[in-house]
Amino acid sequence: MARPKSTRVDDVTRHVQERLAARALIPGERLPSIRRLSEQLGVSKTTVVEAYDRLAADGIIASRRGSGFYVSGHAPPLSLAEIGPALDRSIDPLWISRQSLEAADTSLKPGCGWLPPSWLPDDELRRALRQIARAPQSSLLEYGRPYGHAGLREQLARRLADYGVPVGPQQVVLTDSGTQAIDLVCRFLLEPGDCVLVDDPGYFNFQALLRAHRVQVVGVPHTPSGPDVAVMAALLEQHRPRLYITNSAFHNPTGAVLSPLVAHRLLKLAEAHDLLIVEDDIFADFEHESSPRLSAFDGLERVIQVGSFSKTLSASVRCGYIATKPEWCERLVDLKLATSFGNSPFSAELLFELLRKGSYRRHLDSLRARLADAMGETLGRLRRLDIQPWLEPRGGIFVWARLPGDLDAAQVSRAALADNLVLAPGNVFSLSQSATGFLRFNVAQCLSPRVFDGLERAMEQVRGHCSQ
């Protein structure tokens, strides 16, 4: 049975409920006036009155004579699933993470975002662990310093300088992960209701994290050379965003690399509109040759760079960083102490041991060659199934590809779960829900023939249902 079309009253009611769920409106706060909301949403005053009356009848808001409408009661517990449009769970931004992390050991995970354990430097990690355990003053027992491990920050500053980012150790703040780094930056810079730009398609956890900060999230179409700067210019005029979060190198999910021309235009727009940029550089070490960095062109004036080693070293060694202007570091450190009382000195010491002895560099040389082979093999197998890459990445771990015909990637992903196959449907990554026919593939997780056998069966199953 077809679902009834929503009315304008339904739309206004849903708009208010979404603002309540996102805590953009809190208990006791006055709602926009009837005239103001009607102008804002482009509906009649009668429509707003009817919507407010409906919400008041449900006890969600209350009318105060001569004063207007106010939010009733207490704020409900935060629910990320309720913020934003109501989505099928298969296209929820957290769906891939939950499926990948909860899957049985026998499951295949071509949709996940990390390397197989067998690709990571297990022996080197164990040797570094033994070295730390023998040290007279072990990081196993103490809190870390506010900025984090001094030696590791020096190592990171040298690595950033190799990418052309002018930074000293005093401009590097260690965190427990790249995600925590972005969370701290958001806590530092954003207020509820602010607007933040993300790529569309873009990394799904950016969406989830920003929803937790109760901000407005707006998507910028992504192209093979970076964000669509013409569309971004219009969005900057319309929404006046505070922040833009992106990957420059091996963009997630598309594998695209930022071009110098787009980087230059993007920074000019950022300067004109007082936009700050968070550059998540988590995939930097997968590159054979360095691609342009916004942080290098900008000199960390309005670009903040974050990163971690969870993709290349170990998901269990939680250590990330923030590189930014010196005057912001002190305030970020205070915020880190207030919310987590520092970061793990054990993880930082372990990473420092690997970086300073050269074992990490040797691991990367081997890893890049292995990924190049996996990329070629995965692209060939996808094409044999008539699945077409959006672009042919020059490295990294991701391929963004379109399914044949009008196949729905969410339906294919649900069917594949019965085969213990975890895929990554495109609309998980798309705010505009415009990637219905796309899947993201992790080439390091695609080497078993079972992946493509299961994918082919899932595609045939969906085709069969559609033809009935």
Side-chain angles (χ1 to χ4, degrees):
M1 180 183 295
R3 295 174 60 182
K5 292 183 178 180
S6 63
T7 65
R8 290 185 176 179
V9 174
D10 293 331
D11 293 339
V12 175
T13 303
R14 190 179 306 109
H15 169 80
V16 175
Q17 290 172 330
E18 288 173 359
R19 287 180 59 79
L20 289 168
R23 301 189 186 187
L25 293 169
I26 61 175
E29 184 175 351
R30 187 174 184 270
L31 274 74
S33 69
I34 292 170
R35 180 177 62 82
R36 180 181 167 194
L37 191 61
S38 69
E39 292 174 351
Q40 179 183 340
L41 299 181
V43 299
S44 69
K45 295 178 183 177
T46 302
T47 297
V48 177
V49 169
E50 191 172 339
Y52 277 2
D53 284 344
R54 185 183 296 181
L55 291 164
D58 290 337
I60 297 172
I61 65 175
S63 173
R64 298 181 188 175
R65 185 179 297 274
S67 180
F69 289 88
Y70 291 78
V71 180
S72 302
H74 300 285
L78 179 65
S79 172
L80 294 180
E82 294 175 3
I83 300 174
L87 301 176
D88 185 288
R89 188 66 191 182
S90 63
I91 53 173
D92 182 287
L94 294 174
W95 184 84
I96 296 173
S97 297
R98 293 179 64 93
Q99 295 293 342
S100 298
L101 293 169
E102 294 173 358
D105 292 339
T106 56
S107 295
L108 297 171
K109 305 172 184 178
C112 79
W114 52 85
L115 297 174
S118 61
W119 286 46
L120 298 173
D122 180 79
D123 291 340
E124 289 84 351
L125 283 166
R126 292 179 186 276
R127 280 195 290 270
L129 284 168
R130 288 192 292 269
Q131 180 69 28
I132 293 170
R134 288 194 296 266
Q137 292 182 333
S138 175
S139 56
L140 293 170
L141 304 175
E142 299 177 350
Y143 288 114
R145 296 178 179 179
Y147 271 74
H149 190 289
L152 179 56
R153 291 191 294 112
E154 290 178 2
Q155 288 276 352
L156 291 172
R158 285 197 290 271
R159 285 164 51 84
L160 289 168
D162 290 341
Y163 289 114
V165 183
V167 61
Q170 73 280 5
Q171 291 177 257
V172 179
V173 178
L174 298 188
T175 63
D176 272 337
S177 66
T179 300
Q180 190 199 29
I182 296 172
D183 183 52
L184 279 173
V185 170
C186 289
R187 289 174 185 266
F188 177 55
L189 294 175
L190 299 177
E191 296 289 342
D194 282 348
C195 179
V196 179
L197 300 181
V198 298
D199 297 320
D200 188 351
Y203 178 38
F204 54 80
N205 209 47
F206 290 163
Q207 300 177 39
L209 178 60
L210 290 168
R211 288 178 182 179
H213 284 279
R214 304 160 202 154
V215 298
Q216 179 189 7
V217 188
V218 175
V220 181
H222 208 71
T223 78
S225 56
D228 186 322
V229 288
V231 174
M232 177 174 277
L235 294 174
L236 289 168
E237 291 285 352
Q238 180 181 357
H239 296 284
R240 305 292 180 185
R242 172 68 167 156
L243 201 63
Y244 168 52
I245 305 180
T246 189
N247 308 120
S248 294
F250 297 146
H251 175 263
N252 185 5
T254 66
V257 172
L258 183 70
S259 76
L261 178 60
V262 170
H264 175 72
R265 290 176 175 172
L266 173 55
L267 289 172
K268 292 284 284 185
L269 285 172
E271 182 179 9
H273 293 272
D274 195 24
L275 177 73
L276 299 172
I277 300 172
V278 175
E279 183 174 50
D280 182 6
D281 209 25
I282 194 169
F283 302 110
D285 285 343
F286 290 135
E287 287 190 294
H288 289 278
E289 296 180 3
S290 298
S291 59
R293 293 293 190 279
L294 292 167
S295 47
F297 289 144
D298 172 72
L300 295 179
E301 283 299 314
R302 61 179 58 256
V303 177
I304 302 168
Q305 188 180 109
V306 303
S308 83
F309 295 83
S310 60
K311 303 301 183 187
T312 54
L313 179 64
S314 169
S316 294
V317 179
R318 308 301 289 164
C319 188
Y321 68 87
I322 303 169
T324 187
K325 58 179 71 177
E327 59 267 31
W328 282 2
C329 286
E330 277 289 308
R331 295 159 67 185
L332 283 164
V333 167
D334 286 346
L335 187 57
K336 182 178 73 167
L337 292 174
T339 55
S340 65
F341 209 73
N343 59 280
S344 168
F346 173 70
S347 293
E349 181 69 29
L350 180 60
L351 181 56
F352 177 63
E353 283 292 322
L354 292 165
L355 290 181
R356 76 186 181 96
K357 290 187 175 180
S359 56
Y360 182 65
R361 177 185 54 77
R362 291 189 295 273
H363 162 64
L364 289 180
D365 289 342
S366 172
L367 183 58
R368 293 182 190 120
R370 198 171 183 180
L371 281 171
D373 290 341
M375 179 68 73
E377 187 170 344
T378 299
L379 289 170
R381 287 179 168 179
L382 289 173
R383 289 186 172 113
R384 284 195 287 274
L385 293 178
D386 198 24
I387 299 174
Q388 298 302 320
W390 184 68
L391 60 78
E392 188 163 323
R394 70 185 201 193
I397 64 173
F398 295 132
V399 173
W400 181 243
R402 182 187 291 275
L403 294 171
D406 57 356
L407 282 174
D408 186 317
Q411 294 178 14
V412 171
S413 298
R414 282 196 297 269
L417 283 178
D419 241 341
N420 290 321
L421 187 65
V422 179
L423 299 174
N427 275 345
V428 169
F429 304 91
S430 175
L431 271 173
S432 64
Q433 299 295 280
S434 58
T436 302
F438 282 86
L439 287 168
R440 186 195 72 180
F441 294 92
N442 177 343
V443 299
Q445 300 276 2
C446 285
L447 297 182
S448 169
R450 287 176 49 209
V451 169
F452 298 95
D453 292 342
L455 176 58
E456 187 172 19
R457 283 192 294 272
M459 291 165 57
E460 287 303 321
Q461 181 180 332
V462 172
R463 286 191 184 102
H465 286 163
C466 292
S467 65
Q468 292 176 2

